[in-house]
Amino acid sequence: MKKPLTFPILLLLLLLPLSIHADCNCSNDSGDGDRSKALHLKISAIASILIAGAIGVSLPILGKSFSALRPDRVFFFLVKAFAAGVILATGFIHVLPDAFENLTSPCLDPHPWGDFPFAGFGAMVAAIGTLMVDSVATGYYNRSHFNKARPAVMSEEGDVEEAELKSGGNVHVHTHASYGHAHGSAEEGSGGGGVAELIRHRVISQVLELGIVVHSVIIGISLGASESPSTIRPLVAALSFHQFFEGMGLGGCIAQAKFKAKTIATMSLFFSLTTPVGITIGIGIASSYNENSPTALIVEGILNSASAGILVYMALVDLLAVDFMSPRMQCNGKLQLGANILLLLGGGLMSLLAKWA
């Protein structure tokens, strides 16, 4: 997998602003509207969130330069547990409740929106869809890799059989045990397990970024469209911390995926820019945007529920389950205790931010 999921992200950025230009059936109460002061706060938010996101996603990737941040270190293992707690709390505490609020709003027709829990259903469908994408993509790239490796293995086996015929069955086998080199099957000697794990990390990092980007754009548009300084002010600090911690989680996955430098830069840039771009879009449509219009509520609610499903699945299955059930964790009581504490700390701090964001 050489390219990140740039097309769906670009499509989202293009279509979301268009979809929320809707007729206003409910009043849009802007509270203590002060456009000049609000604009200054929005510009500060763009700079603060951009810097926080860039630093957060870059720290794990810079592990090549700082030994403590390398993926095989205990510190990185603990940071990843903390970041997974942040992502899990983002899905459950920040995004999913917003989806329920959007899709159960009194501004929507009670039939069908009041008759069925569409937010929970959307999250469930998104989680199942993520599982399917995760499984199919990983299986496809595994099959592709081993199909390419098979001709080389068969060629080596043919050479061995030919040597046996020429020597009457006596073949000298040469190994380099001290250097870890040996000849064998594709799974045993060609690093198949390592390649499969690498492919897995690549799929995880890209699906996780897609889930993060969806809700980041929505958050940015909501902040950019607001004209209330008292609403924007606490969001600046809260979203900066939010973006920093989420960036660490995503950056850890990108680091483990071992992408090429260009792909790493593209994925990091997309993550860092999504919320600031959303804020910019929100500023541009602030005069005509009404967050209480039916179209805006439905679009945001569906996207929020899908984002929540993706984030919860990725946090539990691809981040926490893999690490917490690994032999390294199971055989090290101190590491297990530390990871559990940091998981709770990450989830707790992110949940606390829900008071302001």
Side-chain angles (χ1 to χ4, degrees), residues 167-253:
S167 62
N170 297 319
V171 180
H172 174 68
V173 179
H174 181 64
T175 61
H176 302 278
S178 61
Y179 295 96
H181 174 74
H183 296 284
S185 67
E187 284 89 356
E188 293 171 357
S190 62
V195 172
E197 186 177 357
L198 183 62
I199 291 170
R200 179 85 175 136
H201 285 309
R202 292 188 175 186
V203 173
I204 289 170
S205 62
Q206 295 190 6
V207 176
L208 177 61
E209 176 156 26
L210 180 62
I212 290 173
V213 163
V214 169
H215 86 270
S216 293
V217 173
I218 294 172
I219 290 171
I221 291 176
S222 299
L223 190 152
S226 175
E227 298 293 353
S228 172
S230 63
T231 300
I232 298 171
R233 193 177 291 108
L235 283 176
V236 175
L239 290 179
S240 296
F241 282 109
H242 178 281
Q243 201 77 350
F244 175 78
F245 291 134
E246 257 189 356
M248 289 188 70
L250 178 62
C253 292

Side-chain angles (χ1 to χ4, degrees), residues 238-300:
L239 290 179
S240 296
F241 282 109
H242 178 281
Q243 201 77 350
F244 175 78
F245 291 134
E246 257 189 356
M248 289 188 70
L250 178 62
C253 292
I254 293 174
Q256 288 182 305
K258 298 179 182 179
F259 287 111
K260 292 181 179 179
K262 183 179 178 180
T263 304
I264 292 174
T266 302
M267 294 182 72
S268 301
L269 191 63
F270 257 108
F271 168 78
S272 302
L273 289 177
T274 46
T275 304
V277 167
I279 295 172
T280 305
I281 293 171
I283 293 172
I285 64 173
S287 60
S288 58
Y289 172 74
N290 177 16
E291 63 181 5
N292 292 321
S293 69
T295 304
L297 289 168
I298 292 170
V299 171
E300 290 185 19

Side-chain angles (χ1 to χ4, degrees), residues 78-117:
L78 295 175
V79 168
K80 192 177 173 185
F82 178 86
V86 169
I87 293 170
L88 189 61
T90 299
F92 274 125
I93 307 299
H94 291 257
V95 185
L96 191 57
D98 286 347
F100 275 102
E101 183 178 353
N102 292 141
L103 297 179
T104 57
S105 171
C107 295
L108 294 178
D109 187 343
H111 306 288
W113 300 104
D115 299 330
F116 186 79

